[in-house]
């Protein structure tokens, strides 16, 4: 069972090696990288390529590790007891399986995506150490142990918003998705827009990488934002013509709202365009 990328996802050789190493070691794959570099999409494409069901756990700041195992719905049981419902006598009726439970009991080996693990409390990763190591956990209310019938492939993403505990890192195979170079980005664009006008792509890539190199930019545009921008340019003939014109270097890129996402960066682009116009007089 090897991952070699898909027709919809350009996976570098290093990324393919990382996925296959995690499969061989049967350890979680921890993926880091800039937002918009395809970390979440990787899990979806691995699941498709290996014909495995995908189970996604999107982590929020309020997410607790216990929610990934199961939750005991005490409120519903209390309500049912007041109504005299028969099922109240079986506590298992009020155990709500979490995403790990779902992955552990899947009929086929599944891909379990724990998305943006660094959003949660710092103790969140440590609270999952034992369960991810042993692939089992204990349900105290029903006194049963849930064991993985088919070991899932666990893919964990992080945007580096906070440091992860060393004990957690030791149990993972780590890979950092480097920002794509121009050739790789060309392949990514070609995958999304086969047959696109190459003059448009070359000019868009030139502007995109120049924009990322601007000193003082608060948020650099990402791969997903470049894809959105090119999609808009393909749909808007006027904007496309403006980008390909000779005066493009002295003006703010058309539809730049797809690339810059705050007023500071928008203002910086306007000032740079103004300075370029003055120099060209």
């Amino acid at each position: 069972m090897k991952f070699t990328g898909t027709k919809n996802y350009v996976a570098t050789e290093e990324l393919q090696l990382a996925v296959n190493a995690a499969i061989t070691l049967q350890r979680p794959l921890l993926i880091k990288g800039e937002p918009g570099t395809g970390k979440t999409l990787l899990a979806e494409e691995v699941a498709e390529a290996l014909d495995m069901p995908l189970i996604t756990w999107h982590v929020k700041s309020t997410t607790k590790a216990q929610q990934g195992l199961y939750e005991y719905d005490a409120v519903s049981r209390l309500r049912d007891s007041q109504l005299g419902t028969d099922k109240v006598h079986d506590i298992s009726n009020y155990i709500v399986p979490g995403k790990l439970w779902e992955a552990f009991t899947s009929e086929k080996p599944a891909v379990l995506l724990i998305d943006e693990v660094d959003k949660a409390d710092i103790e969140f990763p440590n609270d999952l150490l034992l369960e991810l190591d042993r692939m089992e956990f204990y349900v105290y209310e029903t006194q049963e142990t849930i064991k993985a019938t088919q070991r899932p492939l666990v893919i964990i993403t992080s945007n580096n918003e906070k440091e992860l505990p060393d004990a957690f890192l030791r149990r993972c195979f780590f890979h950092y998705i480097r920002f794509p170079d121009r050739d790789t980005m060309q392949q990514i664009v070609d995958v999304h827009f086969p047959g696109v006008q190459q003059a448009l792509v070359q000019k868009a890539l030139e502007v995109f990488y120049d924009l990322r190199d601007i000193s003082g930019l608060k948020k650099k545009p990402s791969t997903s934002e470049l894809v959105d921008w090119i999609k808009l340019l393909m749909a808007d003939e006027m904007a496309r013509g403006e980008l390909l014109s000779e005066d493009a270097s002295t003006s703010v890129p058309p539809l730049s709202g797809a690339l810059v996402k705050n007023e500071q960066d928008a203002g910086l682009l306007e000032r740079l365009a103004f300075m370029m116009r003055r120099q060209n007089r």
Side-chain angles (χ1 to χ4, degrees):
M1 186 168 63
K2 283 186 176 289
F3 175 67
T4 56
T6 69
K7 64 180 182 180
N8 298 318
Y9 189 91
V10 178
T12 62
E13 184 177 345
E14 292 80 8
L15 181 55
Q16 293 176 37
L17 287 171
V19 173
N20 293 322
I23 293 172
T24 301
L25 293 172
Q26 295 189 327
R27 287 189 176 275
L29 173 62
L30 174 61
I31 296 289
K32 290 187 177 182
E34 287 185 32
T37 50
K39 299 185 296 297
T40 301
L41 185 59
L42 171 66
E44 299 173 6
E45 296 301 321
V46 168
E48 179 182 339
L50 302 181
D51 191 25
M52 300 168 70
L54 175 66
I55 298 170
T56 302
W57 185 12
H58 294 295
V59 177
K60 301 178 181 179
S61 59
T62 56
T63 302
K64 302 299 180 186
Q66 180 64 34
Q67 294 171 318
L69 308 180
Y70 69 93
E71 292 185 272
Y72 169 49
D73 191 354
V75 174
S76 291
R77 193 180 188 201
L78 175 61
R79 184 188 65 241
D80 288 346
S81 68
Q82 293 170 339
L83 296 173
T85 306
D86 287 340
K87 72 174 188 176
V88 75
H89 302 295
D90 186 356
I91 197 171
S92 65
N93 290 323
Y94 303 94
I95 300 298
V96 182
K99 296 298 183 180
L100 265 72
W101 186 323
E102 186 179 341
F104 286 3
T105 56
S106 174
E107 292 184 2
K108 292 177 61 178
V111 174
L112 172 62
L113 170 62
I114 304 178
D115 199 25
E116 298 188 329
V117 68
D118 51 328
K119 278 188 174 180
D121 184 85
I122 189 63
E123 292 304 320
F124 176 86
N126 279 337
D127 290 343
L128 292 176
L129 287 181
L130 187 62
E131 290 75 14
L132 292 178
D133 250 357
R134 296 186 179 179
M135 287 289 153
E136 65 178 49
F137 60 89
Y138 187 70
V139 183
Y140 292 95
E141 288 80 1
T142 60
Q143 299 182 359
E144 62 178 325
T145 299
I146 304 299
K147 292 186 177 182
T149 54
Q150 304 280 355
R151 191 179 187 95
L153 169 59
V154 182
I155 297 179
I156 304 169
T157 70
S158 169
N159 286 327
N160 256 349
E161 291 184 7
K162 62 169 71 82
E163 289 295 322
L164 299 174
D166 288 344
F168 178 77
L169 295 175
R170 283 198 301 272
R171 288 164 169 82
C172 299
F173 188 91
F174 170 76
H175 180 74
Y176 183 87
I177 297 182
R178 301 184 185 281
F179 196 83
D181 59 25
R182 185 159 179 155
D183 289 340
T184 305
M185 191 66 83
Q186 173 82 57
Q187 295 178 47
I188 293 171
V189 171
D190 289 344
V191 163
H192 283 85
F193 309 110
V196 65
Q197 181 185 357
Q198 286 305 305
L200 172 64
V201 174
Q202 294 305 316
K203 185 63 177 180
L205 288 176
E206 178 185 328
V207 171
F208 175 75
Y209 279 100
D210 285 347
L211 185 57
R212 283 184 58 87
D213 287 339
I214 292 176
S215 177
L217 203 65
K218 186 175 181 181
K219 181 193 176 301
K220 295 181 179 181
S222 67
T223 306
S224 62
E225 288 159 342
L226 171 64
V227 170
D228 287 345
W229 187 45
I230 293 178
K231 184 176 181 179
L232 289 172
L233 290 171
M234 291 172 63
D236 191 323
E237 185 176 350
M238 185 176 295
R240 188 166 65 249
E242 184 181 339
L243 179 67
L244 295 173
S245 71
E246 295 181 358
D247 298 329
S249 61
T250 60
S251 61
V252 175
L255 301 170
S256 60
L259 299 174
V260 295
K261 299 302 173 76
N262 58 71
E263 62 275 16
Q264 295 96 320
D265 290 347
L268 178 59
L269 285 187
E270 290 173 358
R271 290 194 297 274
L272 291 174
F274 175 72
M275 291 170 62
M276 289 294 295
R277 288 194 295 272
R278 291 192 64 178
Q279 290 178 8
N280 291 346
R281 284 178 181 173

